[in-house]
Amino acid sequence: MDDLRYPIGRFTYAGSLTEDDREACIERIAAAPSRLRLAVKGLTDRQLDTAYRAGGWTVRQVAHHVPDSHLNAYVRFRLALTEPNPTIRPYDEAQWAELPDARSAPVDISLTLLDALHVRWTLLLRQLGTNDWARTYYHPEQRRTIALDEVLGLYAWHGEHHVAHITRLRGRMEWK
């Protein structure tokens, strides 16, 4: 794809997922930490501080954003599994990406966080029953109720989406 903002395309959800679809999404979520680690491997600080597109985040900000986002998703999953259609708390991801730690901290900190988070998250996901995927939360910014089935697909896509930001930049810049 030529769209630097959506290098693998926008997320789409066609309706409920099959068991095979869910298992594939869980595997994609499980693989996200190692794929992100590989995407940033060997990059210098200068390269980490390069935006993946004009007006976009730096590679470092992307590397810190993924665990920020996935941590929020993990909490939202847990809320939906333990409360009837809870209203989740949105957060301003763009503002989070501008905080000092997201702009300057070593990426290994967030890679380690993502590793542990995804072990715990996939453990939970693999133990959910068929009815659990229909559980929901309400997203006040989107003004809609969202089923965990859709959220699973979204976060399987989300990790790959951001890894592609980095790997496509590496390719364009010919960084080895």
Side-chain angles (χ1 to χ4, degrees), residues 68-136:
D68 287 346
S69 176
H70 291 203
L71 184 58
N72 275 281
Y74 172 70
V75 168
R76 292 168 180 180
F77 255 88
R78 295 182 70 80
L79 288 169
L81 290 167
T82 59
E83 301 174 23
N85 196 40
T87 298
I88 57 99
R89 187 177 188 305
Y91 71 103
D92 187 335
E93 65 181 33
Q95 292 284 359
W96 283 38
E98 294 300 325
L99 291 172
D101 62 327
R103 294 192 67 66
S104 65
V107 296
D108 281 346
I109 295 167
S110 282
L111 295 173
T112 300
L113 173 60
L114 194 66
D115 286 336
L117 173 62
H118 277 237
V119 168
R120 181 86 185 268
W121 194 10
T122 56
L123 177 67
L124 173 66
L125 295 174
R126 288 185 172 121
Q127 295 178 12
L128 295 183
T130 303
N131 293 337
D132 293 323
W133 297 107
R135 296 197 57 110
T136 60

